Amino acid sequence: MSLSDAHYFEEMGVKKYEEIRRLLDSREKKDKLEGMKRLMAMISIGRDASNYYPDVVKNVVSDSLEVKKLVYQFLIHYAELKSNEALLTINTFQKDLSDTNQLIRSSALRVMTSIRVALIAQLQVMAIKQCVRDSSPYVRKAAAHAVAKVFALDPDQGEALKELIQGLLQDNSTMVLGSAVAAFNEVCPDNWDLIHPNFRKMVRLCADTDEWGQIMLLNMFTRYGRKFFLDPSTLEKEPKDTNDDGEKKKKKKK
């Protein structure tokens, strides 16, 4: 939505609310887009639009990119609250994981992993696995965020998720790295074997990650350093009367 859509945020009367369902059921793309913009405006000003979920979820198959983006934003917002309704279109979400648009692929994954039904945890892991190998770092970042959500839903998926985290930690994109470390901290914070081969790369890329990613990395570096680095205060001080070769300097005779 843009500045030209500001009128959607003005107080709407009962009549306009009733028109939303008619707009969403219309065959015209412009009507569907109008209905979705009104719903997103309702959410933005704090109004509950969850009753429109069945009307919105039908439009997830729309071939209009603008409509589909708004539909996914709505579904992501209410997926946890309306998990049973979201299950009805899970096949569509799986299909959209292969969409040509990276925003649609990442949104489909976010909706799938926001459904709080443990029975589909394996499907969620498979979806994350597909997105971990995606060509877009934006989608891979979404996959990293999804790992912790699935682990919180079903801890039994921990082993499968660790394999995905291993792949994410090997990613060379600064967009992905912070999220990968965040997933590591949530799922397997003491499995340092995943960090050892990637540690130097992480240190090198840390300065180029965003602020949130840097916090994740620095917290992990602190824990890593305390566990594997020697404490400088415990090291024996070298004698001051040594040369570069470590040999004691011979005192000159006066």
Side-chain angles (χ1 to χ4, degrees), residues 90-110:
I90 195 168
N91 289 335
T92 302
F93 302 148
Q94 289 177 305
K95 180 181 177 182
D96 282 345
L97 292 174
S98 301
D99 194 272
T100 55
N101 189 293
Q102 63 176 1
L103 296 177
I104 299 300
R105 297 198 300 274
S106 61
S107 296
L109 179 65
R110 290 173 66 188

Side-chain angles (χ1 to χ4, degrees), residues 130-149:
Q130 179 178 341
C131 291
V132 165
R133 299 193 299 263
D134 197 277
S135 60
S136 168
Y138 185 83
V139 178
R140 299 199 300 273
K141 180 176 182 176
H145 286 296
V147 167
K149 293 164 69 175

Side-chain angles (χ1 to χ4, degrees), residues 134-200:
D134 197 277
S135 60
S136 168
Y138 185 83
V139 178
R140 299 199 300 273
K141 180 176 182 176
H145 286 296
V147 167
K149 293 164 69 175
V150 174
F151 183 72
L153 175 66
D154 186 5
D156 292 338
Q157 301 296 326
E159 289 302 319
L161 294 174
K162 285 179 186 178
E163 294 181 9
L164 300 179
I165 291 173
Q166 183 176 13
L168 289 165
L169 290 172
Q170 295 171 354
D171 203 299
N172 291 321
S173 171
T174 54
M175 183 182 292
V176 180
L177 193 55
S179 301
V181 172
F184 168 82
N185 291 336
E186 288 290 331
V187 178
C188 50
D190 298 318
N191 193 345
W192 297 110
D193 288 339
L194 299 180
I195 300 296
H196 291 323
N198 302 297
F199 182 77
R200 290 181 181 274

